[in-house]
Amino acid sequence: MKRVLIFALLSLFVLSSLFAVQTIKLVAWAVGPDDPSINRKLNLERAAEMLNTVLEAAGADIRVEVEAYFDSTDWSSYKQRALIAFQTKDQQLDIITSGHDDLGMWAKAGYVRPIDEYVEKYWDLGFKDFFPALWEATKFNGKIYAIPQDTEARPLWVRKDKLKEMGYTEEEIADMMNKFATGEYTLYDLVKLGQEAIKAGVVKWGLWHRPKMGVDYFQLFKSFEVPIYDPEAGKLVFDTEGAKKVFQFIYDLTNTYKVTPKNLIGTEWNNIHKSFAGPQGEVLALMGGTWNRAEWINMFGYSEEEIDNLLTFTLTPSAYKGVPGNTLSHPVVYMVTSKSKYPELATLLLLFASDPYLNAKHAVESGHLAIRYEELSVPMYAADAFSKKAAAMLLPQASFVPNNDRFNEYNRIIFDTMTGLESGKMTPDFAVKFAAKRLKQQLKDDVIIK
C-alpha cells in the first residue's frame, strides 16, 4: 500500500524534482462549534505532517503547510464568515468544513468544487474503506463534493436519575427506552411521562429541543411519516396534511401539554445544557446529539460512570404505535473550495486527515461515530462502550436531510413557523397556510406543495 502511494505521489509531483523544495500553503477552516470537536482542525495539521513524511520518502521536492482555524462560536456566525471568505477575491481558503446540508447551496453557487476524479484516483488508498452510505451525503447532482469528516446521530436523551426518583428501577428504565425505540411507546407516551415527572416534582419541564435553527426537529416530521423531499423529482416537498399533524404536536408541546416552555427558542445553549445535563437537572428529556455527552463531561466534570448514572438515551419515538423510532445523522464534511489552486493536494491531505486512528481519536473525544470500517477496530474506539451502543441503536434508523441547494431556505421557513407555533402566536391551521405561502413565494418551482 505504501509503495502504491509513493508511486501516486511521484506521478502527482513528477515535475517537482526540477526545482528546489517548494512549500505549498493550504488554508483550512474547521468548526465545532463544540470545543471537543477541535480534532477537526488538529487532524488536518497532523495529516500535513504525515503527508510530508511520505512526500519526502517519495523524493518529491514539495511539502505542504496547513494554516488551520477552528471556530467555536456558533454555526450561523461561522457560515456567514465562510460566505464572506468565498466572495473575497484575495482571501485564500482551500478547505472548508461544514455540515453536509450546506454542500448543495455552496456547490450551486460555485463556492466548492467536485472532487470525483481525485477520490477515484486515491480510492484504493483509503477512500474505499469509508461506509458507503456516507458518500451519499457528499454528493450534489450526482457528483462528489466532499470527504466525510465524521458522523453522528441525534438520540433522545433522558435523565435516568429523575426516572429513578419517580420509582422506576434500572431494568424498567432500560425496558422503557427499548419500547420507545421499537414503537411500543410513542411520542404521546413521552409527553405523558414528562407530565408525570413534572407532577411528581422531580423536574420543571418534560421535553426540550434545540433552541436555534438546525435539523433536529425534522425528526418529528419523520415521526409522523411526513416527507420533506422527493428524490425522483429532486425537489423539496411540503405536505400540508402531514405538516398539520407535526405543527399540531409542536403547538401542543407548549400550549396544551405544557412540557416545553413557550420561550425555549432563542434560549442560550449554555442554559440548555445546564438545565438538562447539569447536576440539578430541571428537564426530563432532550432531543440532542451523540456529541453532547462529551460536551457535558467537559462542562460539568462528570466521570464516565457519573454521566452513565445520570443519563440514558433512545430513538425519537414515532407518533404511531408499532412503528420504530428514528434519528437524523448529520455528517460533517470537508470540502475543497473552487478558489483553491491545489485541489488535488487538498484532497490528498483530506485522505490523510481521515486516517482511522486520527478519526477514532476525534470520535471518542467528541462523542461522534466512526466513518470507516478500519476505525471500528482501533483499540480506543473498540473499547468505548458508548460509541458501540449508540452506533448499534441509532444508525440503523438514521436518515439524512437532503443535499438540496434550497434546503436552508426551506429550513428557515419551517423554523420560523415552529417559533410562531410554540409561542402561541400561530395556530396549526394558520401555520400550514403561512409556511405553504412563504415556501411557494420563495422557492417557487423548487418546492412541491401537496
Side-chain angles (χ1 to χ4, degrees):
M1 181 68 72
K2 184 177 290 186
R3 181 178 298 175
V4 174
L5 179 57
I6 290 175
F7 282 137
L9 291 169
L10 283 172
S11 68
L12 174 59
F13 303 113
V14 66
L15 298 178
S16 65
S17 60
L18 300 176
F19 307 97
V21 174
Q22 177 189 6
T23 298
I24 295 176
K25 183 174 78 170
L26 296 177
V27 176
W29 284 15
V31 59
D34 55 303
D35 291 334
S37 289
I38 186 66
N39 283 305
R40 289 178 182 150
K41 168 187 178 284
L42 298 180
N43 282 357
L44 291 169
E45 296 169 343
R46 293 163 181 147
E49 296 174 3
M50 296 163 65
L51 177 54
N52 283 333
T53 299
V54 178
L55 286 169
E56 184 176 0
D61 295 333
I62 196 168
R63 302 293 182 268
V64 61
E65 173 191 344
V66 171
E67 188 176 290
Y69 300 91
F70 181 72
D71 192 301
S72 59
T73 55
D74 59 73
W75 279 106
S76 179
S77 300
Y78 173 73
K79 292 177 186 180
Q80 288 175 3
R81 284 190 286 274
L83 288 175
I84 294 172
F86 290 146
Q87 296 167 10
T88 302
K89 184 178 179 180
D90 297 329
Q91 182 167 353
Q92 183 180 354
L93 179 58
D94 300 277
I95 295 168
I96 183 78
T97 314
S98 198
H100 76 97
D101 50 314
D102 291 316
L103 186 156
M105 178 176 63
W106 290 352
K108 184 73 174 289
Y111 298 143
V112 296
R113 57 160 294 153
I115 53 175
D116 303 69
E117 59 181 306
Y118 309 131
V119 171
E120 182 179 356
K121 182 174 182 178
Y122 300 109
W123 184 254
D124 290 336
L125 301 181
F127 287 138
K128 70 176 183 180
D129 188 51
F130 284 60
F131 298 142
L134 291 179
W135 286 114
E136 295 306 308
T138 70
K139 294 179 181 178
F140 178 69
N141 288 343
K143 294 183 178 181
I144 295 174
Y145 278 83
I147 304 299
Q149 190 280 320
D150 69 21
T151 191
E152 34 83 327
R154 282 136 202 273
L156 176 74
W157 288 105
V158 181
R159 290 288 302 225
K160 184 164 61 172
D161 59 329
K162 301 301 178 181
L163 291 177
K164 288 182 177 179
E165 288 182 37
M166 294 169 66
Y168 292 98
T169 65
E170 187 83 27
E171 294 73 20
E172 289 171 333
I173 293 170
D175 181 61
M176 181 192 300
M177 296 303 109
N178 182 61
K179 287 178 178 177
F180 279 127
T182 60
E184 187 169 343
Y185 288 168
T186 70
L187 272 177
Y188 298 102
D189 293 308
L190 176 62
V191 167
K192 290 178 183 177
L193 183 66
Q195 290 175 323
E196 290 172 7
I198 294 170
K199 186 176 181 180
V202 300
V203 293
K204 294 181 180 179
W205 299 102
L207 175 62
W208 279 20
H209 54 72
R210 66 179 299 116
K212 302 180 186 297
M213 195 172 104
V215 297
D216 309 32
Y217 37 85
F218 285 105
Q219 291 172 135
L220 295 178
F221 281 73
K222 190 77 173 177
S223 293
F224 282 91
E225 300 181 349
V226 180
I228 64 170
Y229 187 66
D230 183 335
E232 292 185 7
K235 294 185 177 183
L236 296 158
V237 172
F238 184 71
D239 182 329
T240 55
E241 184 176 344
K244 169 71 182 301
K245 297 175 183 177
V246 179
F247 290 170
Q248 183 69 59
F249 182 78
I250 291 171
Y251 175 88
D252 286 339
L253 284 177
T254 60
N255 296 281
T256 305
Y257 307 138
K258 301 187 186 302
V259 293
T260 307
K262 287 188 174 185
N263 61 350
L264 178 63
I265 291 178
T267 302
E268 290 300 318
W269 269 113
N270 281 342
N271 290 335
I272 298 289
H273 295 311
K274 180 180 178 181
S275 297
F276 175 72
Q280 301 304 315
E282 298 178 347
V283 183
L284 181 67
L286 173 72
M287 294 174 64
T290 53
W291 65 92
N292 290 142
R293 185 175 183 273
E295 283 187 289
W296 296 330
I297 288 174
N298 287 350
M299 279 184 175
F300 304 112
Y302 296 138
S303 67
E304 296 280 338
E305 182 179 1
E306 286 171 336
I307 198 166
D308 288 340
N309 287 333
L310 281 180
L311 304 175
T312 186
F313 64 91
T314 185
L315 292 162
T316 297
S318 172
Y320 307 117
K321 192 174 180 65
V323 178
N326 76 90
T327 185
L328 278 175
S329 183
H330 182 249
V332 167
V333 298
Y334 289 127
M335 290 167 269
V336 178
T337 71
S338 298
K339 59 167 57 181
S340 177
K341 296 178 180 179
Y342 308 99
E344 183 170 0
L345 184 60
T347 305
L348 192 57
L349 179 75
L350 296 179
L351 173 63
F352 279 84
S354 305
D355 174 86
Y357 288 88
L358 294 185
N359 255 86
K361 178 178 174 63
H362 165 71
V364 171
E365 292 180 358
S366 65
H368 289 84
L369 305 177
I371 60 170
R372 50 187 298 181
Y373 293 105
E374 193 174 344
E375 191 177 339
L376 298 175
S377 60
V378 173
M380 176 189 292
Y381 191 90
D384 189 67
F386 171 73
S387 296
K388 289 193 290 186
K389 181 181 177 182
M393 174 185 284
L394 303 173
L395 291 185
Q397 300 298 333
S399 59
F400 306 130
V401 295
N403 280 352
N404 183 279
D405 59 297
R406 308 300 299 272
F407 176 72
N408 281 348
E409 297 169 81
Y410 179 97
N411 189 3
R412 167 54 65 186
I413 292 169
I414 296 300
F415 185 70
D416 288 347
T417 306
M418 183 174 168
T419 303
L421 285 162
E422 291 200 345
S423 68
K425 293 179 180 178
M426 290 186 187
T427 65
D429 285 327
F430 178 84
V432 170
K433 295 174 183 176
F434 169 84
K437 183 178 180 180
R438 276 194 61 187
L439 286 167
K440 196 62 181 176
Q441 286 176 338
Q442 193 163 327
L443 275 64
K444 297 182 171 56
D445 292 337
D446 289 331
V447 64
I448 299 170
I449 308 291
K450 291 185 177 181

